[in-house]
Amino acid sequence: MSEPIVVVKKHAPLGTIILNRPEKRNALSRVMVEELEQAFRDLHAEKSVRAIVLTGAGTAFCAGLDLAEMHAATGEEDSFDRWRDDVVRLRDLYEMMLRFPKPIIAAVNGPAVAGGAGLVLAADFAIASSEATFGFPEPRRGVIAGICAPLLTFRIGGSHAARLLLLAETITAQRAEAIGIFQELIPHEKLWARGMEIANEIALSAEEAISLTKRMLNETIGETLETYLSAGAAASAASRTTEAAAEGMKAFLEKREPNWPT
C-alpha cells in the first residue's frame, strides 16, 4: 500500500501536516491540494491542537504546482478551464490557511518556490533551516505568480516583493530571514522540535484570544487580501494560456532554456 501524499500527525498541543511527495519535491498535484484542505479541516476539529506545523518530506519543502500535470492539460479542449480550476483551488487553499483559527507555522526544510513559497506566505510565520531557499521562478516558465504576489506584498512590502517577482530570483534562507519571510533559522534536525516549543507557547494563551488576533491581522489589517487573491488567480489563469507559457513549461520539463516567442 502506497504512503499518503499528505501525512497528518497529532502531538498535542501541536498538529503536523507533512507534504509527502519527496520524489516530486512535494509538488502540488490536484489531489494533494484537496488532501491538504482536508488535513486542515481535520485538525480544525481537534480541540487539543492549538497550532499547526506545515513541512515537507525529503529535501524540499514544496516545488509549487505540479508542472507536469499542468503541461499534460496543454492542448486539451478544456485546458483553460483546467488551469483556471487549478489556480482557483490554490487560491482557496491559501484563503483557508489565512482564515484558519489556529496559528500555522511553516517549517521550511528545503526549497520553497512558486506555489510552495505561497504556502509559506499563507502561514502565520515561518521557521527555516539553512538549506531552505525561497523564490518565484514563474516568469522564467512563461507564467506569473499572480496569487502569491498579494501575499508577498502583505508580508514584506512592495519594494522587496517587486525585486523577487520581477527578477524571478531564488534567495537563500539568510536573505529570506533578513527581509522578513523567515522569522527564525533553525538547524534542520531541530525544526519540528522548535515548532513544538512554539505550540506550547501559544497554548499558554486563551484559545479565543489567539483566534481573534489572527482574524484581526488577516481580515482587518489585510482586509483587501481576498480581493487581490481573486484578481491574482484570474491573472495567473490568463498567463497560462499564452504561447510563452506553453514554451516555458515544455522547456522546464525538457531541462533546457526556453525559446521565447517573438
Side-chain angles (χ1 to χ4, degrees):
M1 185 175 180
S2 60
E3 292 188 14
I5 59 175
V6 173
V7 176
V8 180
K9 298 182 178 181
K10 184 180 74 169
H11 300 87
L14 182 67
T16 305
I17 299 175
I18 304 169
L19 308 175
N20 192 36
R21 296 181 77 204
E23 74 287 356
K24 298 292 186 182
R25 297 173 62 80
N26 299 318
L28 295 166
S29 65
R30 296 180 184 104
V31 172
M32 194 177 203
V33 171
E34 292 174 3
E35 293 199 8
L36 264 176
E37 291 174 333
Q38 186 59 52
F40 280 112
R41 283 192 288 268
D42 290 344
L43 289 174
H44 184 289
E46 291 286 350
K47 297 295 290 182
S48 63
V49 170
R50 297 292 308 279
I52 311 297
V53 158
L54 176 64
T55 193
T59 59
F61 177 77
C62 179
L65 285 174
D66 189 330
L67 290 188
E69 189 176 71
M70 287 180 59
H71 184 67
T74 302
E76 293 180 7
E77 187 175 340
D78 63 344
S79 59
F80 177 74
D81 291 336
R82 295 285 297 277
W83 290 326
R84 181 190 59 203
D85 290 346
D86 287 343
V87 295
V88 167
R89 194 64 182 265
L90 189 60
R91 179 207 64 190
D92 290 348
L93 173 61
Y94 293 160
E95 289 184 354
M96 171 184 275
M97 293 172 66
L98 292 167
R99 293 195 200 106
F100 196 75
K102 305 172 186 183
I104 301 170
I105 308 150
V108 189
N109 57 300
V113 297
L119 290 175
V120 176
L121 298 170
D124 296 292
F125 52 92
I127 59 177
S129 70
S130 59
E131 291 86 359
T133 56
F134 183 92
F136 298 96
E138 283 93 334
R140 296 182 186 179
R141 298 169 189 170
V143 293
I144 67 169
I147 316 174
C148 297
L151 289 169
L152 184 65
T153 304
F154 176 55
R155 297 296 185 199
I156 64 171
S159 59
H160 289 308
R163 180 184 173 91
L164 277 169
L165 294 167
L166 294 174
L167 294 185
E169 64 178 345
T170 298
I171 58 175
T172 65
Q174 291 74 19
R175 177 62 180 158
E177 182 190 31
I179 63 177
I181 293 166
F182 302 151
Q183 285 71 55
E184 297 180 37
L185 294 187
I186 308 291
H188 183 275
E189 67 277 7
K190 296 182 178 179
L191 271 178
W192 185 86
R194 178 57 182 145
M196 176 61 85
E197 289 177 357
I198 294 170
N200 281 318
E201 292 173 30
I202 289 168
L204 296 174
S205 299
E207 183 177 1
E208 186 175 14
I210 292 295
S211 177
L212 287 171
T213 298
K214 182 165 174 176
R215 283 188 62 187
M216 176 191 67
L217 289 169
N218 293 340
E219 296 180 20
T220 304
I221 298 171
E223 64 178 343
T224 58
L225 262 180
E226 288 192 13
T227 299
Y228 293 149
L229 286 169
S230 293
S236 287
S239 77
R240 284 162 169 77
T241 67
T242 64
E243 290 181 29
E247 168 59 16
M249 283 189 279
K250 185 177 180 183
F252 175 77
L253 294 170
E254 294 176 355
K255 300 184 181 351
R256 61 171 174 80
E257 291 297 315
N259 297 310
W260 300 122
T262 57

